[in-house]
Amino acid sequence: MAALVPGFLLGGVLAAAAWQGWSWASAYPALAQAHGHAQLLGWGGALILGVALQFLPRLRGSTLSDPRRVPLGFMLLAAGLALRVGGQVLAALAAAPAARAAGLCILAAGAALEAVAAGLLAGLLARSLRQGPPLGQKKAFAQVAPLFVLAGASLLAGLLLWTLGAFSAATAALRAAAGFNAASGSGAAAPASLPAAVSATLPGPVDAAALRLLLFGFIGAISVAMSARVFSLFFRIRPARPGWLAAAAGAFGVALLLDAAAGTGALLTGRPASPGVSAAADLAWGAALVLGTIGVRVFEPRLVFPGDKGGYRWWRDPAGVAAVLAYVWALVAALLLGLRGLGTLGVQVAASIPPADAALHAVGAGFMTLLIMGVAPTMLPGFGGGRLRSRGGVALAVALAALAALFRVLPGLGQTLTGRAVPWGTPVMAAAGAAGLGAVIALVLVLRASWQAPGAARDGHHDMGKGRRKPHPS
């Protein structure tokens, strides 16, 4: 639901509002924050956490510690997300300062609940991963363990920044609303600017830092780590290169420190980070995505198993296509981050510095969503005791997701290359929302049919075609 309503649907409606000039388009900044948050935490974040809780203890050679707490953690996360997004929508659309302040208070409560839920789930996963054989006996897990640690740190740091920023915004809104009410009650003319002072958005620099920590840090690092272990099991990709994964972890760590410092500084001082810090963070995130892509080896020739005479072709496998396209978007995001970082330092390579949202959507709509389209039908049916039923449904979901990513990022690429906003940007972004909505519906229908299928998946793999092999416990 987070992907369907406040995610893709709201994103498309916002683009349509800007395109058609609808009267409530002035609420765009706050609604855009709500849309991005729902996509990141409700669509990608929740699904990735769920897969991690199922898969990582097995990879570690342990079992999930106290699985009874998992439903509680996700119920808290869902409740927090509903309050966080609903509160901001209320604050964005309400005209009265008191109503805006109430919406921001609801938002702050939701943000705190999200942080508690993520802490509970991350702590449960951490306790589970501390069990099992020594890491020296689990070399495959040891190679990606630093990436998992950095992903967890990015998740918690970003949610903490969002929570503190939400309480800061709610406090300021309550003070502004109280001043407006006091002026109105005294019979004096209230300043005309006072209602507008009750902003429905979180502090910009704090929100930007938290968003980057979750999108590039949490989603980026855990996606590279999971790909390094999952791709060789299901897509015949060669075993990941440990050295490149370690280098990627180093770059992710540097970027995490820079953006966490930038967000903390903005929270304490109200000022954004210096251009040098912002540029260094952009370059570090971009380098991490490039190094991770090289380490995963997704663009290299596939392994040939004895007996099949090289019959597997990734382009015949919709999930395999999604995996390749996901890392194409990871490299696009890295390019945009590199151009943005260099441009901030005064080294402008393209006609203009890429807009900040171009790299964000290259990762969110491209890298993250296409990875979900590839991995979800590959792994989730087995978790539910079924097997995949519709190859065509997966192909449709992947095609629509690929279109959604292209349509959403293309206006930013056009602006980067031409130096000005493209006139067709908003209608194309509205089409991106419709395509993304269709992709999620197609994926949900495929998974629903697969979960209803009787019997467990054979040997830990599905019937998407040839090329899967049983996961090895190491």
Side-chain angles (χ1 to χ4, degrees):
M1 289 301 294
L4 290 177
V5 180
F8 288 108
L9 180 60
L10 179 57
V13 170
L14 285 174
W19 175 27
Q20 296 295 325
W22 294 344
S23 60
W24 53 272
S26 59
Y28 185 99
L31 294 177
Q33 282 189 354
H35 151 74
H37 190 87
Q39 286 286 79
L40 179 52
L41 198 60
W43 165 234
L47 193 147
I48 288 171
L49 279 172
V51 171
L53 287 163
Q54 282 277 354
F55 180 70
L56 294 190
R58 302 179 189 184
L59 181 65
R60 178 67 178 89
S62 63
T63 57
L64 184 61
S65 174
D66 198 2
R68 294 172 299 177
R69 294 189 180 185
V70 173
L72 173 62
F74 279 105
M75 284 191 291
L76 291 175
L77 185 64
L81 182 65
L83 293 173
R84 165 67 175 79
V85 174
Q88 189 154 29
V89 171
L90 172 62
L93 299 180
R100 291 188 187 179
L104 287 173
C105 289
I106 295 172
L107 183 158
L113 200 55
E114 288 174 342
V116 170
L120 188 156
L121 294 171
L124 183 62
L125 188 56
R127 288 193 298 274
S128 304
L129 299 182
R130 283 201 298 266
Q131 303 170 6
L135 285 179
Q137 299 177 18
K138 307 294 293 184
K139 294 182 180 180
F141 181 81
Q143 291 172 3
V144 294
L147 288 166
F148 288 128
V149 171
L150 290 166
S154 297
L155 171 66
L156 297 178
L159 289 175
L160 180 60
L161 279 177
W162 258 331
T163 301
L164 296 176
F167 275 96
S168 174
T171 301
L174 287 171
R175 289 174 179 168
F180 179 80
N181 291 336
S184 300
S186 66
S193 61
L194 197 51
V198 185
S199 174
T201 60
L202 299 185
V206 178
D207 178 70
L211 181 62
R212 287 156 60 92
L213 285 169
L214 267 82
L215 188 57
F216 300 147
F218 170 56
I219 299 294
I222 202 169
S223 295
V224 168
M226 293 284 285
S227 299
R229 298 278 63 88
V230 170
F231 281 11
S232 62
L233 304 176
F234 296 108
F235 303 130
R236 293 202 178 190
I237 291 174
R238 299 170 187 273
R241 290 190 172 95
W244 289 97
L245 295 179
F252 275 120
V254 170
L256 162 63
L257 292 175
L258 289 170
D259 263 335
T264 303
L267 192 65
L268 295 175
T269 66
R271 296 191 299 270
S274 67
V277 171
S278 299
D282 283 332
L283 294 172
W285 290 126
L289 291 172
V290 171
L291 294 168
T293 301
I294 296 172
V296 170
R297 308 179 73 174
V298 68
F299 299 118
E300 297 187 18
R302 299 298 188 262
L303 292 170
V304 177
F305 291 168
D308 70 359
K309 300 179 181 180
Y312 176 75
R313 295 291 185 269
W314 65 265
W315 56 83
R316 298 174 185 166
D317 178 3
V321 171
V324 172
L325 290 177
Y327 276 91
V328 169
W329 281 110
L331 294 179
V332 171
L335 174 63
L336 291 167
L337 286 165
L339 292 174
R340 186 170 176 82
L342 291 174
T344 303
L345 294 175
V347 183
Q348 191 164 320
V349 179
S352 68
I353 297 175
D357 75 322
L360 295 174
H361 284 95
V363 172
F367 182 46
M368 178 184 79
T369 297
L370 281 160
L371 269 184
I372 290 173
M373 296 296 164
V375 173
T378 303
M379 299 182 69
L380 296 190
F383 293 163
R387 58 190 179 92
L388 188 65
R389 289 294 188 183
S390 176
R391 179 188 179 114
V394 177
L396 175 62
V398 171
L400 289 172
L403 281 176
L406 179 64
F407 289 164
R408 185 55 188 85
V409 180
L410 201 57
L413 289 174
Q415 181 177 334
T416 302
L417 295 175
T418 64
R420 60 183 183 275
V422 293
W424 41 264
T426 49
V428 167
M429 287 191 291
L437 186 64
V440 174
I441 292 173
L443 178 65
V444 169
L445 293 176
V446 167
L447 293 177
R448 184 173 183 272
S450 301
W451 285 329
Q452 290 176 340
R458 296 187 302 271
D459 294 329
H461 60 278
H462 58 68
D463 64 346
M464 279 277 295
K466 299 177 181 178
R468 312 296 197 256
R469 63 179 179 179
K470 185 177 180 180
H472 192 276
S474 65

